[in-house]
Amino acid sequence: MKYGIISDIHSNLEALEAVLEALAERGVERYVCCGDIVGYGADPVACLERVRALGCPVVMGNHDAAVAGRTGTEDFNQNARRAVEWTRERLPQEWLDYLASLPLTAEVGPFHVVHATLNCPGEWRYLMTTYEAKINLDIMTLPLCVFGHSHVPILFRRAEGQISFGSEVEFTLEEGVQYLVNVGSVGQPRDGDPRAAAAVFDEESGRFELLRVPYDIDTARVKIVSAGLPPALAARLVTGD
Ligand code: ZN
């Protein structure tokens, strides 16, 4: 089985389509989505349609939860809050219900799937340190956990009790080793590389790889500005931060 892992699409249809094409070209048969389908970008309905059509496990992100009224926006900055309101006004009830129905965690094949952290998934914390990684690695029952939320790819690996980490998200699964992987963001990368991010895991070879996929940033950017969303949300797509 070849898995394609996507996260933090944020209503960026151009990025999502480019990523799905790249994953299909690599022979991906099954998809996993770590949440935040909506928020920030101009195409929430089209992105929801594409993701639901994949028929894959999808977990709830904090933006999905905020749009669906499941979580407050006190922790959101002004632009993010504006995008949540903009999105909520445009989504038919069917899609608000869909977002509200998403689980906080899922398990598929060798993966735990979560948006933020496995130990407190509804608190939307950022998993950035080995301390937090340890808490999450301790409760994993499967060898891999994929997540998103920070939009910055990172790999935590624990072998013989030692946790190492790095931004190089590429490895071959080893027996007895645990992996906690942030797969970056499809629709709003923040690691300085504006290309869309997504991952492929080949169960047969055990190879896990992060892809960076160029897409039509200009179209996505113009749509955000034309939709009346905060221009800063368009500008950051160009810089990838
Ligand atoms: Zn996000």
Side-chain angles (χ1 to χ4, degrees), residues 7-10 35-36 38 40 62-63 115 126 148-151 185 188 190:
S7 188
D8 295 275
I9 296 149
H10 287 298
D36 273 2
V38 299
Y40 297 133
N62 55 320
H63 288 253
H115 184 66
Y126 290 93
H149 196 38
S150 71
H151 301 201
S185 170
Q188 196 200 73
R190 293 180 193 162

Side-chain angles (χ1 to χ4, degrees), residues 34 59-62 103-106 112-129 131-137 139-140 145-150 156 180-182:
C34 306
V59 294
M60 186 188 281
N62 55 320
L104 287 170
T105 62
H112 291 284
V113 186
V114 69
H115 184 66
T117 60
L118 212 49
N119 63 314
C120 49
E123 291 181 22
W124 316 117
R125 295 194 195 164
Y126 290 93
L127 205 174
M128 315 278 273
T129 65
Y131 173 75
E132 291 149 326
K134 183 187 181 299
I135 295 169
N136 283 267
L137 289 161
I139 58 172
M140 283 167 57
C145 175
V146 285
F147 68 104
H149 196 38
S150 71
F156 293 95
L180 190 51
V181 192
N182 188 317

Side-chain angles (χ1 to χ4, degrees), residues 7-13 15-16 19 40-41 151 184-189 194 196-197 215 220 224 233 237:
S7 188
D8 295 275
I9 296 149
H10 287 298
S11 302
N12 185 336
L13 183 62
L16 178 60
V19 157
Y40 297 133
H151 301 201
S185 170
V186 171
Q188 196 200 73
Y215 74 96
I224 286 172
L233 298 176
L237 295 184

Side-chain angles (χ1 to χ4, degrees), residues 71-87:
T71 200
T73 52
E74 317 76 66
D75 296 339
F76 284 53
N77 65 40
Q78 209 183 330
N79 288 341
R81 196 176 306 133
R82 170 82 190 99
V84 165
E85 287 157 9
W86 182 96
T87 305

